[in-house]
Amino acid sequence: MKKMVVGIGVLLCLLLWFSSCGTRIDDAEQPAGTDLLEEEKELVEEGDNYIVVGISQVGSESDWRIACTESLKSTFTQENGYYLIFEDAQQKQENQLKTMRDFILQEVDYIILDPIVETGWDAVLKEAKDAGIPVILVDRQVKVSDESLYTAWVGSDFHSQGVKAGRWLENYLEEQGRGRDKIRIVTLQGTLNSTAQLGRTDGFASVMEEHDNWTMLARRDGDFTQTKGQEVMEDFLNTYPDIDVVVSENDNMTFGAIEAIEAAGKTCGPDGDIIILSFDAGRAALEAMAEGKINADFECNPNLGPEVSRIIQKLELGNQVEKFQYIRETYFDPTMDLESVIEVRTY
Amino acid sequence: MEDNAVLQMRNIHKSFPGVKALSGVDFTLRKGEIHALMGENGAGKSTLIKVLTGVYTKDEGHIYLDGHEKEVQIRSPQEAQKLGISPVYQEITLCPNLSVAENMYIGRTPGAMQNWRKMNKDADKLLKSLDIPAKATQQLSTCSLAVQQMIAIARAVDTDCKVLILDEPTSSLDEQEVEKLFKLMRDLRARGVGIIFVTHFLDQVYEVCDRITVMRDGCLVGEYEIKDLPRVQLVSKMLGKELDDLSDIHGEYKSYEKKEGELPVFEVEGLYSNAGIKPFDFHIDKGEVNGFTGLLGSGRSECVRAIFGADHVLGGKVKKNGKPVKISKPIDAMRQGIGYLPEDRKRDGIVGDLSVRDNIILAQQVLRGFLKPYSKAEADKIADEYIKLLNIKTASADTPIKSLSGGNQQKVILARWLLTHPEYLILDEPTRGIDVGTKVDIQKLVLKLASEGMSVTFISSEMDEMLRTCSRLIVMRDRKVVGELTGSDLNQTSIMSTIAGGDK
Amino acid sequence: MSKGFGSKMKNISDTNLLLTITIVVFFLMYIGAMLFLGEGFLKPQALFNILNANAALIILSCGMSIVMITGGIDISVGGVTALISMCCAVYLDKAGGSVAVSVLIALLIGLGFGLVQGFLVAYLEIQPFIVSLAGMFFARGMTTIVNTEPFNVANEAFVALKNTRIIVPGMGSVNRLGNYVDAYVEIGVIVALLIVILLFCVLKWTKLGRNFYAVGGNSQSALMLGINVKRTKFIAHLLCGILAGVGGFVYFLHVGSGSPSHASGAEMNAIASSIIGGTMLTGGVGNIIGTFFGVLSLSTIQNIVSSAGLDQAWWTGITVAAMLCLFLVIQSVVMAARKKGNVK
């Protein structure tokens, strides 16, 4: 038994020594900054030079998320000169932290991060900075003590989306002649503490403040999924008999809410009992709107890939980039020509 | 009190609800003696041992140890251990995943820490002194069963035991392993350990024991010195038959007339299975009724199970009407026209929750295959026919079989096999636990079937029955066929002396 | 197999044989990864990262192994971990408590589960699977009751502890900027290693440890050999509970937050690690060192999968499943071969 313990100890030490050997040899032979993966080494000889990009994505919990992932994957292809390592964190921050540390070890050229929650990133961002790897945030934002820890952020102005929704409702009620009525509102919120949820909730709330006759009956976490959205809506319908407006912070939850409402024997949409406002404006939601089930949908553009790629190209050339870049977005309601929009909708 | 006695049990009584297991049994064990404890089914030997090892508490009686005046009370297995009574059971009660040394010492050394070096050293010493071929650091499961048995004994001996109880230690051992075990036992005897050897192997008892205690039906038959007890006498005491009894009986039925040159219906050569019987030869003619006899555990059931393919057959040839056939599982035997009524009808026979009708059509249904099920009308007709034929007492053909009496259950199983119209029917203890009237019915039925050309093998513990129905008896001892008796030899004396064997 | 090797095979116990297989497979995998998948594995920090990410799992798996050795199982450890992280998070941030007390809370929670489950399994003789299943549901439910939303802990003393790095001298590497970065491990890793060493000693050199093996090998025999089977099983489950407490706090220290979805699937990972490490589900065979390597193997597979460019989320599961099956088959084959070689 003793022999075994000694044997294992020796093997482990050898392993570590061997692995550190590897590092030292690498550094001696290659100049700093050109550590590449095996495949890349071959390509370098052929004259190509890939930019290695590591992406840590939140998960695949909603259509919007999947569309965003598609956009990223189709932008960072080998044809475009990138070598992509993509990791799905399955909604856990600890997975993202681990992934980032792996990227740092693998010495990727750029890290793209869509943070699941806002806090807890200081340490790992500092590690990336010390290792000389620029971090670009997409979609959600972080709260850090040192803003220089990340290079840039690309995403939606969630606050603005929330405000737009509030303004749209204002106008709509005026048109309907209900501007003075008591309006009862419930909100299906997205994953709590995510940037999207915070922005949309606050944005809408800022408009609500201006209206005494609007009451927020309840706000609950629907986790951005259809199932949870349906559950929460069912609960709301059971608790509050007269709901006028449902603010659903993404399309998937909206689908769940519609199911719950119809199951309870009520209707929604322009001709219905309940007004539904949704966010994301994906194809499926627009089709539902064409069927008359949704009153308005506030776009959240998931096609972030090209924008990020532009940023990276600028950085490669050594230029400065703007810290915060908002992507262009609009809104949709049944008064518009939905058919032609749906035709060209990529997500 | 005897000077040399290490254990004395006097007048032990023990009852369980409805059954008196021990009635005033005495037992004495001397220092440095190997003492056999023998008895047939229900004799009470295991109850006596359990009283001694503290698993049961006696109702009445006294136990004295080591010549002390005061009697001892044994209320639990731990107390028995402390008093120096060590049982070693048939199933190895050791842990196969631990080392040999660990098995010898675990659970009985003081302290919280494990001292490997000392344990291994002590173990090696003990193993060497008892000449056991094992190493202290070996994992127990890498030792053969015999060696494992010996290690269990070594542990018992090391606990400074005065009384070592070996409960059927040789059942799973082969000849060489048994020899090794005996050598160990003789060594222990030389050291003054008293050994109780519970077994049913006749030859082994005569090979290694000094004394025998025979029990029957919960009573002590007697204690004898081996050198004073001829084998035949031992057998007769165990069976409860007097030597002089002549029971020669004629059957009421005419026996089947065997044609000249007709080949036996079934013939078996060198057949043996994984149940431990030695390869045996066997044949049965058309219309013949024969039987297997011997003491309990001599291998009678195992032989017929090998013929029927119920145990895993390891070798030998089977011929039907002179042509070789392959029987490796019961369905093969059934297709060859053999039927088998098992010894343990509760376990291997009835399907308790099914109705009488379903139990009857079961075997024949299997033979027909599942694509040709009996219609309800057909099944009802068959059931009614056999219920009448065998006089089965049941409320209806739909009654679940488990609510019938033992005798009627047996009749249903018999009906099942008769329905398959077998050429050869094996009945293993068909009359056990059945009332006298039904017993006679079954015996008569067997003879009737034989006269119509069916071959039957009849196994029973009751010698009278076999003598009444069989025309040929195959005698077994210690899982070996030791003789065949026909004609005028069919009497109790011959049977018992053939069972006993050896020198008188 | 020559005669000499054959007899050496006889002398090695089941436990040690399986351990050897596990260790060999792990080293083959890791060295293979170093040779063929380059960058990510060539730094010692890669190994340390594996330790950092899995310190808690190592501790939980050790507890699981002990229970499995006695022939039982405990699938509540994941739930208990989540409960501990939520309770401690709430205590630190909402009740403004101290880190020391939160450690105590963690241990008490683990101890509580261990006591109750141990009692039910050992003395009331209820199936361990059922008991720990109930424990798991209870723990998960309680986690949500304590606080429904996940949140990161801001308590300064705690965050400082979480970010403490223990430098491993001489194993650092130079990064692309030319800076030398020291290799480091988190506090949790030290705790995990200490526990591994401690439990290894307990299993090998104390009577209690040997009793675990005996009870798992054949509990009837163990009883006949004079071992208090009930007490042994009780202590095994109790130990697993306490280790869930320690592991739970280490997990909490690593993630720095409370959430109802923490440690989901952790009990399955603990079981998988134990099996890969050579612990048999049937009991009586197993060892801590193997479990340790089992955890490392699991993580290495994850890293290999992602380095190879495959989608880690899906392919890891499939590969781990394949590896588990492989190990189970190896275990049965090896065991059967040994038994066959012995029946004379």
Side-chain angles (χ1 to χ4, degrees):
Chain A
M1 202 55 222
K2 240 185 228 154
K3 281 187 260 174
M4 183 131 338
V5 175
V6 172
I8 294 175
V10 167
L11 273 173
L12 268 174
C13 290
L14 273 178
L15 195 70
L16 290 172
W17 179 78
F18 184 42
S19 54
S20 60
C21 245
T23 320
R24 279 181 251 132
I25 293 174
D26 274 349
D27 293 325
E29 288 177 359
Q30 296 173 13
T34 53
D35 290 321
L36 301 166
L37 295 165
E38 289 298 321
E39 290 94 330
E40 292 174 76
K41 288 204 173 87
E42 296 171 346
L43 294 162
V44 164
E45 278 148 29
E46 289 172 1
D48 288 0
N49 199 343
Y50 282 126
I51 301 176
V52 183
V53 172
I55 301 184
S56 176
Q57 176 62 290
V58 169
S60 37
E61 78 287 0
S62 67
D63 296 336
W64 189 95
R65 181 76 50 213
I66 294 174
C68 178
T69 299
E70 250 322 294
S71 167
L72 290 168
K73 278 187 175 169
S74 56
T75 311
F76 294 102
T77 54
Q78 292 198 355
E79 287 93 38
N80 294 345
Y82 295 103
Y83 186 86
L84 174 62
I85 307 176
F86 183 89
E87 293 296 343
D88 175 331
Q90 300 198 304
Q91 314 280 56
K92 289 190 177 183
Q93 184 182 25
E94 70 200 75
N95 288 349
Q96 290 198 305
L97 291 170
K98 179 177 184 298
T99 301
M100 286 196 61
R101 294 205 162 99
D102 287 344
F103 286 160
I104 293 170
L105 261 188
Q106 289 172 308
E107 298 190 354
V108 300
D109 294 318
Y110 293 91
I111 292 181
I112 301 177
L113 171 68
D114 188 344
I116 289 170
V117 291
E118 294 209 330
T119 53
W121 300 102
D122 290 69
V124 76
L125 286 177
K126 180 143 196 322
E127 283 171 43
K129 186 173 179 195
D130 288 343
I133 303 176
V135 176
I136 301 173
L137 300 175
V138 295
D139 179 34
R140 300 183 182 179
Q141 297 178 349
V142 296
K143 275 209 186 57
V144 282
S145 48
D146 176 4
E147 286 294 322
S148 74
L149 286 176
Y150 60 96
T151 311
W153 173 88
V154 182
S156 306
D157 190 344
F158 298 111
H159 193 269
S160 155
Q161 289 173 4
V163 169
K164 267 190 239 165
R167 294 279 167 243
W168 185 93
L169 184 63
E170 222 177 47
N171 284 340
Y172 184 74
L173 292 172
E174 282 292 339
E175 280 172 27
Q176 301 258 309
R178 291 166 72 185
R180 296 268 165 269
D181 290 357
K182 242 179 142 7
I183 306 293
R184 285 167 289 262
I185 312 176
V186 292
T187 306
L188 297 172
Q189 295 177 298
T191 313
L192 290 183
N193 285 332
S194 65
T195 317
Q197 175 269 315
L198 293 170
R200 290 169 185 168
T201 305
D202 289 344
F204 188 81
S206 68
V207 175
M208 233 188 76
E209 271 175 12
E210 301 170 16
H211 298 265
D212 297 332
N213 54 330
W214 289 11
T215 335
M216 184 61 76
L217 293 172
R219 281 197 199 123
R220 281 242 311 260
D221 184 354
D223 227 11
F224 283 141
T225 59
Q226 182 167 341
T227 330
K228 201 78 196 293
Q230 185 174 348
E231 264 177 50
V232 174
M233 193 67 218
E234 278 168 4
D235 247 6
F236 284 161
L237 288 167
N238 285 335
T239 325
Y240 306 106
D242 296 306
I243 301 177
D244 296 308
V245 182
V246 174
V247 178
S248 168
E249 289 182 358
N250 85 335
D251 283 342
N252 291 80
M253 291 196 295
T254 305
F255 296 140
I258 293 176
E259 289 217 18
I261 291 173
E262 289 180 348
K266 300 203 177 182
T267 54
C268 47
D271 300 321
D273 312 316
I274 303 181
I275 300 173
I276 292 196
L277 304 178
S278 184
F279 293 83
D280 279 357
R283 181 190 222 130
L286 294 179
E287 284 170 358
M289 184 184 283
E291 288 171 29
K293 299 213 177 144
I294 301 180
N295 295 71
D297 208 326
F298 298 88
E299 184 182 29
C300 190
N301 191 348
N303 292 323
L304 303 172
E307 197 55 40
V308 179
S309 181
R310 259 195 291 278
I311 295 178
I312 288 181
Q313 293 300 333
K314 265 199 187 157
L315 289 171
E316 284 283 292
L317 293 174
N319 294 341
Q320 290 277 50
V321 292
E322 277 170 46
K323 193 88 168 179
F324 291 95
Q325 319 211 10
Y326 291 110
I327 203 121
R328 282 188 341 124
E329 295 171 324
T330 174
Y331 75 95
F332 301 98
D333 70 27
T335 62
M336 305 174 182
D337 177 11
L338 293 174
E339 292 302 327
S340 45
V341 175
I342 290 176
E343 257 184 62
V344 296
R345 208 75 175 145
T346 50
Y347 70 95
Chain B
M1 202 132 326
E2 299 207 26
D3 286 335
N4 215 7
V6 71
L7 168 71
Q8 292 195 322
M9 298 171 86
R10 293 275 172 269
N11 198 28
I12 308 289
H13 289 265
K14 177 71 187 168
S15 297
F16 296 107
V19 131
K20 186 102 201 260
L22 297 174
S23 316
V25 176
D26 296 338
F27 182 79
T28 311
L29 179 69
R30 289 165 191 70
K31 260 205 196 86
E33 163 183 89
I34 300 180
H35 194 132
L37 181 58
M38 302 189 75
E40 292 275 275
N41 227 357
K45 8 182 242 292
S46 53
T47 314
L48 188 67
I49 297 296
K50 286 192 175 145
V51 163
L52 184 57
T53 54
V55 178
Y56 296 151
T57 24
K58 56 183 166 32
D59 297 335
E60 264 179 72
H62 311 277
I63 303 178
Y64 304 95
L65 275 181
D66 238 359
H68 289 305
E69 287 285 320
K70 207 159 174 293
E71 66 172 298
V72 294
Q73 296 294 342
I74 309 174
R75 276 167 295 231
S76 70
Q78 279 82 6
E79 279 189 32
Q81 287 261 5
K82 283 208 193 80
L83 292 168
I85 300 172
S86 297
V88 177
Y89 298 103
Q90 193 177 2
E91 332 84 48
I92 316 262
T93 50
L94 298 175
C95 297
N97 59 324
L98 300 179
S99 73
V100 168
E102 276 194 284
N103 269 296
M104 288 169 72
Y105 289 100
I106 201 167
R108 59 187 188 94
T109 51
M113 300 299 283
Q114 177 91 315
N115 186 340
W116 288 95
R117 204 164 339 158
K118 180 171 187 302
M119 187 177 75
N120 288 338
K121 212 159 71 144
D122 289 345
D124 270 328
K125 212 163 62 170
L126 185 56
L127 291 168
K128 219 181 162 97
S129 76
L130 294 175
D131 205 15
I132 301 178
K135 286 222 268 293
T137 50
Q138 225 176 327
Q139 186 168 316
L140 192 76
S141 57
T142 59
C143 300
S144 69
L145 277 179
V147 175
Q148 289 189 29
Q149 192 77 288
M150 293 200 270
I151 292 169
I153 294 175
R155 179 192 167 101
V157 161
D158 192 51
T159 58
D160 221 10
C161 71
K162 310 191 175 73
V163 177
L164 179 67
I165 306 170
L166 300 178
D167 191 356
E168 313 250 12
T170 56
S171 305
S172 354
L173 305 182
D174 67 32
E175 275 173 20
Q176 291 154 306
E177 293 171 332
V178 169
E179 275 316 307
K180 277 209 193 94
L181 182 64
F182 284 172
K183 183 167 173 305
L184 178 58
M185 284 165 71
R186 291 190 188 104
D187 277 342
L188 294 174
R189 174 177 55 189
R191 294 186 191 196
V193 179
I195 301 177
I196 304 180
F197 184 36
V198 181
T199 182
H200 48 248
F201 287 101
L202 218 44
D203 287 338
Q204 291 180 7
V205 166
Y206 275 86
E207 194 181 328
V208 82
C209 298
D210 307 310
R211 278 174 198 262
I212 304 186
T213 295
V214 181
M215 292 179 65
R216 200 175 64 240
D217 295 332
C219 301
L220 173 70
V221 171
E223 186 191 309
Y224 315 93
E225 298 235 2
I226 277 282
K227 53 191 199 303
D228 296 335
L229 184 71
R231 288 176 178 240
V232 194
Q233 279 206 22
L234 172 58
V235 173
S236 85
K237 291 204 186 299
M238 288 189 62
L239 296 177
K241 302 282 178 218
E242 290 313 316
L243 270 179
D244 304 325
D245 229 339
L246 285 172
S247 320
D248 217 358
I249 303 163
H250 295 288
E252 287 172 19
Y253 288 86
K254 214 159 90 106
S255 49
Y256 182 80
E257 288 295 330
K258 187 174 159 196
K259 296 198 188 65
E260 281 299 319
E262 200 179 13
L263 289 165
V265 172
F266 273 98
E267 200 180 322
V268 151
E269 229 179 282
L271 188 68
Y272 65 106
S273 73
N274 66 350
I277 40 168
K278 303 274 182 306
F280 71 102
D281 300 337
F282 170 80
H283 73 273
I284 186 165
D285 297 321
K286 195 156 180 225
E288 181 187 349
V289 180
N290 70 6
F292 282 82
T293 183
L295 293 180
L296 179 69
S298 50
R300 301 165 295 173
S301 297
E302 282 80 358
C303 279
V304 293
R305 286 171 65 91
I307 297 174
F308 189 64
D311 287 332
H312 185 46
V313 171
L314 295 172
K317 292 202 270 256
V318 180
K319 285 198 217 142
K320 181 178 175 195
N321 291 326
K323 282 207 279 284
V325 295
K326 187 166 183 314
I327 296 180
S328 52
K329 39 196 195 304
I331 187 72
D332 298 335
M334 283 162 70
R335 293 211 180 99
Q336 296 296 338
I338 308 180
Y340 168 58
L341 194 108
E343 188 189 348
D344 188 340
R345 66 171 163 269
K346 266 215 206 70
R347 192 188 62 195
D348 302 327
I350 64 169
V351 183
D353 291 314
L354 287 186
S355 68
V356 168
R357 174 185 48 245
D358 290 333
N359 270 283
I360 291 179
I361 63 173
L362 193 57
Q364 184 63 0
Q365 179 70 73
V366 170
L367 278 174
R368 276 159 64 106
F370 292 104
L371 297 172
K372 287 197 278 175
Y374 278 113
S375 67
K376 185 149 191 313
E378 281 178 311
D380 279 334
K381 192 154 119 21
I382 293 171
D384 288 335
E385 190 183 316
Y386 279 93
I387 289 175
K388 226 182 352 186
L389 176 66
L390 298 178
N391 206 10
I392 303 176
K393 287 200 182 43
T394 172
S396 77
D398 283 313
T399 329
I401 193 174
K402 62 184 180 192
S403 42
L404 268 57
S405 74
N408 286 303
Q409 286 181 355
Q410 197 71 300
K411 286 184 179 175
V412 171
I413 308 299
L414 199 51
R416 173 196 295 171
W417 289 107
L418 291 180
L419 179 58
T420 66
H421 297 293
E423 289 175 56
Y424 173 31
L425 184 62
I426 304 174
L427 303 172
D428 195 346
E429 301 274 7
T431 59
R432 183 193 285 160
I434 291 184
D435 59 283
V436 176
T438 316
K439 272 197 225 252
V440 177
D441 285 342
I442 291 182
Q443 289 162 24
K444 284 193 186 163
L445 180 63
V446 165
L447 290 172
K448 177 163 172 299
L449 293 169
S451 74
E452 289 165 8
M454 195 184 285
S455 311
V456 179
T457 289
F458 191 98
I459 298 178
S460 171
S461 313
E462 290 181 39
M463 206 147 312
D464 299 342
E465 263 190 337
M466 301 199 52
L467 288 172
R468 219 173 292 143
T469 49
C470 304
S471 55
R472 184 159 59 94
L473 281 181
I474 298 160
V475 184
M476 300 203 64
R477 183 195 335 125
D478 299 351
R479 300 205 189 131
K480 230 178 15 219
V481 171
V482 292
E484 227 179 84
L485 302 170
T486 54
S488 57
D489 282 329
L490 281 178
N491 57 65
Q492 288 192 134
T493 315
S494 306
I495 295 174
M496 289 197 289
S497 62
T498 316
I499 293 177
D503 336 290
K504 291 205 55 190
Chain C
M1 247 199 243
S2 68
K3 259 293 171 55
F5 187 59
S7 66
K8 243 201 220 112
M9 282 291 281
K10 235 169 90 133
N11 281 334
I12 201 172
S13 68
D14 288 346
T15 295
N16 288 345
L17 183 61
L18 293 179
L19 173 65
T20 314
I21 296 176
T22 302
I23 294 180
V24 165
V25 170
F26 169 71
F27 276 107
L28 282 177
M29 270 202 309
Y30 203 85
I31 293 175
M34 288 202 308
L35 292 175
F36 298 112
L37 289 173
E39 248 357 277
F41 290 92
L42 282 180
K43 302 199 179 80
Q45 185 63 43
L47 187 61
F48 293 133
N49 274 0
I50 292 181
L51 288 173
N52 285 338
N54 290 297
L57 184 60
I58 291 174
I59 299 174
L60 293 180
S61 303
C62 286
M64 184 69 77
S65 288
I66 289 179
V67 168
M68 282 170 75
I69 287 175
T70 59
I73 200 149
D74 184 350
I75 56 171
S76 68
V77 291
V80 172
T81 301
L83 181 62
I84 286 175
S85 58
M86 188 58 95
C87 288
C88 290
V90 165
Y91 172 72
L92 282 175
D93 266 8
K94 306 222 169 138
S98 72
V99 175
V101 176
S102 67
V103 173
L104 207 60
I105 292 178
L107 289 175
L108 283 175
I109 293 178
L111 183 72
F113 274 85
L115 270 172
V116 173
Q117 289 182 169
F119 178 75
L120 290 175
V121 169
Y123 293 101
L124 295 189
E125 296 191 354
I126 308 178
Q127 281 286 340
F129 186 83
I130 308 282
V131 168
S132 57
L133 185 68
M136 177 181 89
F137 282 129
F138 181 71
R140 290 268 170 209
M142 284 301 291
T143 307
T144 324
I145 290 182
V146 168
N147 197 44
T148 38
E149 315 149 6
F151 67 97
N152 287 18
V153 174
N155 180 310
E156 281 164 17
F158 175 75
V159 174
L161 193 65
K162 171 177 174 343
N163 290 334
T164 309
R165 293 187 171 188
I166 301 181
I167 313 283
V168 181
M171 297 279 191
S173 48
V174 183
N175 66 11
R176 60 202 318 208
L177 288 184
N179 296 333
Y180 179 79
V181 179
D182 275 314
Y184 75 96
V185 289
E186 295 178 7
I187 292 185
V189 175
I190 306 293
V191 174
L193 289 176
L194 285 175
I195 288 193
V196 166
I197 295 174
L198 179 68
L199 289 176
F200 174 73
C201 293
V202 166
L203 283 185
K204 184 128 175 79
W205 284 306
T206 64
K207 294 280 175 55
L208 176 67
R210 303 317 300 172
N211 284 355
F212 288 143
Y213 283 100
V215 167
N218 187 331
S219 64
Q220 281 286 53
S221 295
L223 188 62
M224 300 300 248
L225 292 173
I227 295 173
N228 189 335
V229 171
K230 290 191 181 180
R231 195 174 63 194
T232 306
K233 284 192 180 175
F234 175 70
I235 294 180
H237 280 267
L238 183 65
L239 207 53
C240 186
I242 295 176
L243 287 170
V246 177
F249 191 79
V250 168
Y251 183 86
F252 175 56
L253 197 61
H254 178 72
V255 296
S257 64
S259 162
S261 64
H262 271 338
S264 66
E267 55 278 321
M268 297 306 159
N269 282 336
I271 295 174
S273 302
S274 299
I275 293 180
I276 292 178
T279 306
M280 291 186 70
L281 274 169
T282 42
V285 181
N287 65 88
I288 296 292
I289 305 291
T291 303
F292 173 74
F293 278 103
V295 176
L296 293 186
S297 297
L298 226 53
S299 234
T300 307
I301 293 177
Q302 237 178 350
N303 288 3
I304 290 177
V305 165
S306 74
S307 284
L310 298 168
D311 194 344
Q312 193 201 83
W314 310 118
W315 280 93
T316 309
I318 295 176
T319 328
V320 169
M323 206 175 168
L324 253 180
C325 288
L326 185 67
F327 267 86
L328 286 171
V329 167
I330 292 178
Q331 282 178 3
S332 339
V333 165
V334 165
M335 290 305 159
R338 298 191 95 201
K339 292 237 159 56
K340 242 195 215 148
N342 296 321
V343 176
K344 265 181 45 192

